[in-house]
Amino acid sequence: MITTQEFHVNLGPQHPSTHGVLKLNLVLDGEYIVDCEPVLGQLHRGMEKMAEGMHYGQFIPLTDRLDYLASAANNLAYVLAVEKLMGVEAPERAKYIRVIITELQRIASHLVAIGTWGLDLGAWTVMLYTFRDREMVLDLFEMYCGARLTLNCFRVGGTTYDFPPGFIEKLKEFLDVFPRRVDDYEALLTRNPIWLSRTKDVGVISAEDAVAYGLTGPNLRASGVNWDIRRVYPYEIYDRVEFDVPLGSRGDAFDRYMVRIQEMRQSCRIIKQALEQLPPGEVMLDLPTISLPDKRQFPNNFPAVVRHFHLLVQGYAPQEKEIYLGVENPKGELGFYIVSDGSAYPYRLKIRAPSFINLQILPKVLKGALLADVVCILASLDPVLGEVDR
Amino acid sequence: MSLWQLLYEPDRWADEINKLITNWGLQLGIPVFITQLFLMIVVAVILLSFILLNVAFLTWLERKVAGHIQVRHGPMRTGPHGILQPVADGIKLLFKESITLPFVDNFIYTLSPAMMFTAAMLTYIVLPFAPGWVVAPLDYGLIFVFAAGGVSSFFVFTAGWSSNNKYSLLAGMRTIAQVISYEIPMILAALGVALFAGSLNLVEIVEAQKGLWNIVVQPLGFLLFLTAALGETHRAPFDLLEAEQELVAGYMTEYSGMRFALFYLGEYTHMFAAAALMTTLYLGGWQGPYLPPVVWFLLKAYALVLLIMWFRWTYPRIRIDHLMNFSWKFILPLALINLGVTALVLVW
Amino acid sequence: MALGLKDIGLAMELIRGIGVTVRHFFQPTVTIHYPKQRREPYPRFRGLVRWDKEKCAACVLCAHYCPVKAIQIVTGEGKEGQKEVLYYQIDAARCMYCGLCSEICPVGALSHSPYYELAVYERQDAVYAQERLAGEPPIIRYR
């Protein structure tokens, strides 16, 4: 007597295409997915707890490790949240610098998303092309702050550095070259029949589901929901630049791909406008309560020395209140919910990680899909496990 | 007997050497069948070394082509432009431990890689490299090629089955599905050529293309055959059985060391055989002006190999159900139409 | 989306894809031969942290502020009664190159060097202390 039996496969955490240490417990019927259970937490580092033992300024480099493909964007989210808590605002030039760096980071993050997605579907070459162009962005970062991946370049009340000489020329060069490079990816993928057949009508997320599951970022916009925090609650200078919010219509993997491609073009547009409007001036707020004094006055200016030590040893204490601030990260809405008890350490710091919440819809989308679609859908949701597990 | 003759009149040269050795053997009192056997061994050694060297070259070529397509260099450190990379790879794989896991079906597990490589090599018996340079000019050569190719794929399946690994098993299941759906359109496409030549003998098929290559007469057939051959040899975009992003390494997941290398050798052997077969069927085999026949043959075959490699580094991988649809709903009807039209034209 | 005979026009796109790869094939390569050619980091590059003993004021601010506690300092009294560093070590394996220490050092005793080839064979070789914290680091270069 012949019976049929379901087939259990552990996809991950050691698998070529799970984008980190994600483990999926799959139940297969032939090649079709019957059930899927994501197992999270293999990269848990206790970020939120670590934040409770640190000054507000000390936690900035650790936010790099959330979504390590978009570290500057995480920095911005955290720094803006603390600024909101402290009730301060960065100088104009710092705001522009932050936006330029963050939009570059968005380009870099989407390049990785599309490149690894291509790799997951067997298009190796796309991945190497996108990484070549990401390298140009990383070079710009290295020029700006000295690090390539974990930037740690923004501070509460401004940024650490101004643009070095030669940076803007190099950035303009990149902005000239980059749209043509995007055309190349599109020539390789967008209308390629194999790519179309792999992504069209695969992993469809309806607008209702997307909202119900709390998706944000490109994944939400691909379902046709017009929600971009840069547009809805403009922060920094986003109300002063023109850009379109690319939307999808069907909510399938192909729409998520197209939204990302178009967002890269829009990011270029934002950077160009920001460069035109870039004002002169300071990049760091000169406020005795939060900003470090100029080191050039040491050691003769004794009050400055005392302030320096006081700020670093005691830290700055905000008022007793709770705030939430979300910004539009490449992956979605990254929010920091900070509860302050009036001391120099946060009482509680909750991170609303977009990848974690985007990943929750995975079991629902995967049901009935093919094994080959698992990697496609996973790549289209673009989770970063550093952020999922925190 | 000179080098010029060797290259430009290989059939006369082969005959002469055959006669020479047979006569020499007869003078010494050695029976004809023993000298023939000796000749066969020599030919086999030459063919085997050609296959192995060719595979070594192809692995290097693939990495180089991939590198330059992806604006990088590829292997550069072993010899000039990394030409000795296959040697280094071979040494490494030979010395690596060949791990046999406790839960594998040992006999089939050990047999599969060797048999897969052997079956892939069988194809070369009937391939005419130049006039007279063919091991066995079988009258049913075309059928033999397909049979050997099918057997080779069968051992891919047994490898996946005996590994007792879920990913390997999935790859094995995919192999069977893929080979069945691509062998049929491939044979149908090739039958058009056989009808034109009026023979299944590959030598006669080549000779029938004198003056007019089959690619001109049957462009559709060529495209169909190319697509089906990609599916048959498991090359991208149809490389579903070793789709590493889905199945880790497919049927090779549990293999290591020299057994793994044998699969690798088998795959490239198979790929070159497919390119050589396409050359024979559609590109006029060894025929061409000025250059010696064997050079023409290799040039055409390598051009096709390059094309196949180019596909791999340009396109994404197709999905298993689309693969089936594509074969049964697209290629098969077209192949049937192609065959029907060819037959009608010939009857007219 | 299932492809059928109706989509034969998309075959042109396959040829366009080949065109892109062919164009890139003849472009100059962008990679470099690493051990033979080395890329020069930009001036602000945050590599291995270097410590200048002469400048250091033994304020211990760096050890206090380092988010991963990679810096260890032992201070004591010098000959003339001033505070002095007796032992200073940076664990390069713990360090995350965030640049906070060099940013907050009031006397500029800490700085980032452009050295980035920091692989070592032994765990303790990654701990840079005292003399090893100045000048060119004793790095085993790949040949």
Side-chain angles (χ1 to χ4, degrees):
Chain A
M1 172 135 177
I2 297 169
T3 53
T4 56
Q5 198 186 339
E6 282 165 347
F7 192 61
H8 292 254
V9 174
N10 287 334
L11 199 86
Q14 288 140 342
H15 187 273
S17 58
T18 49
H19 291 228
V21 287
L22 177 65
K23 183 185 174 193
L24 297 175
N25 290 346
L26 297 176
V27 182
L28 295 183
D29 175 16
E31 291 240 355
Y32 288 90
I33 311 288
V34 178
D35 196 14
C36 158
E37 187 197 344
V39 179
L40 309 178
Q42 313 230 15
L43 199 63
H44 181 64
R45 290 152 296 174
M47 287 282 198
E48 295 174 358
K49 194 72 191 165
M50 278 158 90
E52 291 169 20
M54 285 179 179
H55 289 328
Y56 286 101
Q58 267 177 306
F59 189 61
I60 299 171
L62 293 182
T63 59
D64 287 339
R65 274 85 186 161
L66 287 174
D67 174 3
Y68 41 78
L69 297 177
S71 55
N74 302 337
N75 287 167
L76 182 68
Y78 178 71
V79 162
L80 279 176
V82 178
E83 279 176 6
K84 189 178 171 189
L85 187 69
M86 299 293 297
V88 296
E89 211 170 314
E92 281 296 289
R93 188 177 171 82
K95 284 186 180 178
Y96 278 92
I97 289 177
R98 283 174 178 185
V99 165
I100 289 169
I101 296 290
T102 319
E103 289 302 318
L104 279 174
Q105 189 75 76
R106 190 182 311 279
I107 290 174
S109 174
H110 283 347
L111 281 176
V112 176
I114 288 167
T116 50
W117 191 351
L119 179 68
D120 283 350
L121 298 197
W124 278 81
T125 305
V126 178
M127 179 262 202
L128 281 136
Y129 290 173
T130 57
F131 270 59
R132 168 195 59 180
D133 300 337
R134 177 170 174 259
E135 205 66 12
M136 294 172 77
V137 180
L138 297 191
D139 273 353
L140 285 169
F141 288 157
E142 188 186 335
M143 212 171 166
Y144 171 64
C145 70
R148 298 168 65 82
L149 195 68
T150 47
L151 302 187
N152 182 27
C153 54
F154 303 147
R155 296 285 176 272
V156 179
T159 69
T160 336
Y161 310 101
D162 200 346
F163 288 144
F167 180 88
I168 290 178
E169 290 72 36
K170 209 153 178 269
L171 178 57
K172 280 182 176 153
E173 202 181 294
F174 169 75
L175 291 176
D176 284 344
V177 175
F178 187 66
R180 288 203 301 271
R181 298 279 169 83
V182 180
D183 292 343
D184 276 356
Y185 317 142
E186 291 219 67
L188 280 174
L189 296 179
T190 305
R191 275 184 52 74
N192 184 316
I194 303 175
W195 179 263
L196 284 176
S197 68
R198 285 304 302 270
T199 53
K200 279 249 175 191
D201 292 339
V202 168
V204 180
I205 301 173
S206 67
E208 292 78 34
D209 276 351
V211 173
Y213 277 80
L215 298 197
T216 43
N219 298 333
L220 176 70
R221 292 193 284 278
S223 299
V225 183
N226 192 347
W227 180 265
D228 188 329
I229 300 175
R230 291 177 294 175
R231 176 60 60 75
V232 186
Y233 300 119
Y235 52 93
E236 300 294 72
I237 56 145
Y238 282 112
D239 48 349
R240 280 174 250 169
V241 289
E242 270 181 33
F243 62 97
D244 299 329
V245 179
L247 292 178
S249 51
R250 304 153 67 91
D252 55 8
F254 182 74
D255 277 349
R256 295 197 273 282
Y257 159 78
M258 277 319 283
V259 165
R260 290 204 171 89
I261 287 273
Q262 288 168 24
E263 270 191 13
M264 290 200 290
R265 294 187 194 275
Q266 294 302 327
S267 289
C268 274
R269 230 176 113 191
I270 294 172
I271 297 171
K272 267 182 198 154
Q273 294 175 48
L275 272 181
E276 277 166 20
Q277 300 174 12
L278 187 68
E282 287 296 311
V283 295
M284 190 71 194
L285 204 63
D286 192 15
L287 195 71
T289 49
I290 58 160
S291 52
L292 299 178
D294 191 352
K295 273 197 254 178
R296 274 167 296 187
Q297 358 174 349
F298 297 164
N300 300 328
N301 187 347
F302 193 67
V305 177
V306 170
R307 200 178 107 207
H308 186 83
F309 274 77
H310 182 81
L311 277 175
L312 293 172
V313 178
Q314 298 288 329
Y316 39 79
Q319 285 173 343
E320 197 174 319
K321 63 177 173 181
E322 300 176 13
I323 61 113
Y324 172 81
L325 190 110
V327 304
E328 186 68 29
N329 247 29
K331 308 281 188 293
E333 177 183 345
L334 175 68
F336 282 93
Y337 181 80
I338 307 179
V339 182
S340 158
D341 58 356
S343 74
Y345 301 90
Y347 177 74
R348 173 85 171 92
L349 189 143
K350 165 89 178 81
I351 302 165
R352 185 217 186 268
S355 299
F356 175 68
I357 292 161
N358 290 348
L359 203 58
Q360 303 308 314
I361 204 169
L362 191 66
K364 184 184 166 79
V365 181
L366 278 188
K367 243 162 237 164
L370 281 156
L371 180 65
D373 284 339
V374 173
V375 288
C376 176
I377 292 169
L378 188 61
S380 78
L381 291 176
D382 189 23
V384 167
L385 269 287
E387 194 174 53
V388 173
D389 296 337
R390 302 195 287 290
Chain B
M1 239 179 14
S2 65
L3 193 67
W4 190 85
Q5 261 191 336
L6 166 66
L7 288 173
Y8 283 90
E9 293 171 10
D11 41 350
R12 253 185 69 196
W13 185 80
D15 278 355
E16 269 178 35
I17 220 165
N18 194 354
K19 267 183 213 153
L20 200 76
I21 294 193
T22 319
N23 289 338
W24 174 74
L26 282 176
Q27 278 167 14
L28 290 179
I30 304 167
V32 177
F33 76 91
I34 290 186
T35 45
Q36 287 294 321
L37 192 68
F38 169 74
L39 267 178
M40 271 179 206
I41 290 170
V42 171
V43 168
V45 167
I46 292 171
L47 193 64
L48 200 63
S49 36
F50 166 75
I51 291 171
L52 288 174
L53 280 176
N54 180 49
V55 165
F57 176 69
L58 283 182
T59 53
W60 174 81
L61 187 71
E62 170 117 281
R63 297 169 76 166
K64 243 12 203 180
V65 166
H68 281 276
I69 284 178
Q70 296 166 349
V71 287
R72 55 190 178 87
H73 288 98
M76 285 298 276
R77 299 199 58 191
T78 42
H81 285 264
I83 189 81
L84 294 176
Q85 190 68 38
V87 181
D89 282 349
I91 292 171
K92 179 202 140 200
L93 285 168
L94 264 175
F95 282 95
K96 279 195 92 166
E97 184 188 359
S98 219
I99 302 163
T100 310
L101 292 161
F103 48 77
V104 299
D105 190 340
N106 215 329
F107 178 65
I108 303 175
Y109 177 81
T110 321
L111 191 71
S112 300
M115 287 308 291
M116 188 229 174
F117 184 42
T118 316
M121 281 196 299
L122 277 180
T123 324
Y124 286 72
I125 292 178
V126 289
L127 286 179
F129 288 84
W133 281 23
V134 47
V135 179
L138 299 177
D139 282 341
Y140 43 85
L142 197 57
I143 302 295
F144 179 81
V145 170
F146 292 128
V151 169
S152 153
S153 299
F154 174 72
F155 284 103
V156 171
F157 167 70
T158 57
W161 178 265
S162 65
S163 290
N164 217 347
N165 174 314
K166 284 168 183 174
Y167 292 118
S168 302
L169 181 61
L170 277 172
M173 278 155 41
R174 285 182 177 186
T175 317
I176 295 298
Q178 187 171 337
V179 165
I180 289 173
S181 18
Y182 279 81
E183 202 119 279
I184 293 169
M186 191 163 156
I187 293 173
L188 285 177
L191 275 183
V193 175
L195 282 180
F196 251 91
S199 164
L200 287 171
N201 189 332
L202 291 179
V203 180
E204 283 173 29
I205 287 176
V206 172
E207 274 161 3
Q209 296 179 55
K210 195 156 265 174
L212 189 63
W213 293 357
N214 273 339
I215 188 171
V216 185
V217 191
Q218 300 217 322
L220 180 65
F222 174 71
L223 286 177
L224 292 174
F225 193 89
L226 177 64
T227 322
L230 287 176
E232 167 76 16
T233 52
H234 325 308
R235 290 289 298 184
F238 304 111
D239 56 344
L240 287 145
L241 0 164
E242 46 197 293
E244 65 209 38
Q245 287 82 13
E246 297 149 28
L247 300 181
V248 189
Y251 60 93
M252 301 191 269
T253 307
E254 301 291 359
Y255 282 90
S256 56
M258 205 54 210
R259 290 183 192 145
F260 169 77
L262 277 175
F263 275 127
Y264 217 69
L265 292 175
E267 190 195 320
Y268 280 92
T269 313
H270 208 153
M271 179 173 86
F272 187 78
L277 189 63
M278 269 184 273
T279 311
T280 311
L281 293 181
Y282 291 98
L283 297 181
W286 64 70
Q287 297 176 15
Y290 307 120
L291 292 172
V294 64
V295 175
W296 266 114
F297 181 84
L298 288 179
L299 267 183
K300 291 170 185 171
Y302 273 115
L304 283 172
V305 164
L306 214 57
L307 187 69
I308 293 175
M309 285 180 180
W310 222 285
F311 286 153
R312 171 161 178 195
W313 299 108
T314 307
Y315 299 138
R317 182 179 305 115
I318 207 162
R319 204 170 77 189
I320 182 79
D321 57 332
H322 295 149
L323 184 91
M324 296 290 141
N325 272 343
F326 189 59
S327 169
W328 294 108
K329 293 188 185 164
F330 190 89
I331 297 189
L332 187 68
L334 280 182
L336 279 171
I337 292 168
N338 185 46
L339 183 64
V341 170
T342 313
L344 274 180
V345 168
L346 280 177
V347 169
W348 231 317
Chain C
M1 193 180 95
L3 291 171
L5 285 168
K6 63 187 188 312
D7 296 310
I8 212 153
L10 287 176
M12 281 313 291
E13 294 296 323
L14 290 175
I15 294 163
R16 221 175 114 212
I18 290 272
V20 172
T21 40
V22 168
R23 185 152 49 78
H24 280 87
F25 186 83
F26 294 106
Q27 271 179 9
T29 52
V30 293
T31 48
I32 57 170
H33 299 286
Y34 162 61
K36 288 180 202 156
Q37 303 169 352
R38 282 188 167 78
R39 177 180 160 280
E40 273 305 305
Y42 287 98
R44 283 179 181 176
F45 183 73
R46 300 205 300 249
L48 187 66
V49 180
R50 306 275 78 198
W51 174 65
D52 190 342
K53 190 176 182 174
E54 302 306 314
K55 282 187 188 167
C56 184
C59 68
V60 209
L61 202 54
C62 44
H64 176 82
Y65 204 67
C66 178
V68 288
K69 304 287 173 239
I71 304 175
Q72 275 181 31
I73 314 177
V74 179
T75 54
E77 207 167 280
K79 281 174 198 138
E80 289 150 34
Q82 85 279 27
K83 199 178 178 193
E84 201 182 66
V85 176
L86 300 179
Y87 183 75
Y88 195 106
Q89 92 167 33
I90 295 176
D91 188 346
R94 276 189 90 115
C95 178
M96 60 178 181
Y97 305 95
C98 64
L100 282 183
C101 52
S102 61
E103 192 183 316
I104 61 162
C105 182
V107 288
L110 285 167
S111 59
H112 279 282
S113 63
Y115 303 114
Y116 54 88
E117 291 151 313
L118 305 175
V120 285
Y121 284 105
E122 302 286 332
R123 178 71 175 73
Q124 64 263 26
D125 287 351
V127 178
Y128 293 87
Q130 302 287 69
E131 297 82 35
R132 291 181 78 214
L133 273 168
E136 198 168 330
I139 282 168
I140 309 144
R141 288 230 159 185
Y142 178 67
R143 275 177 289 278

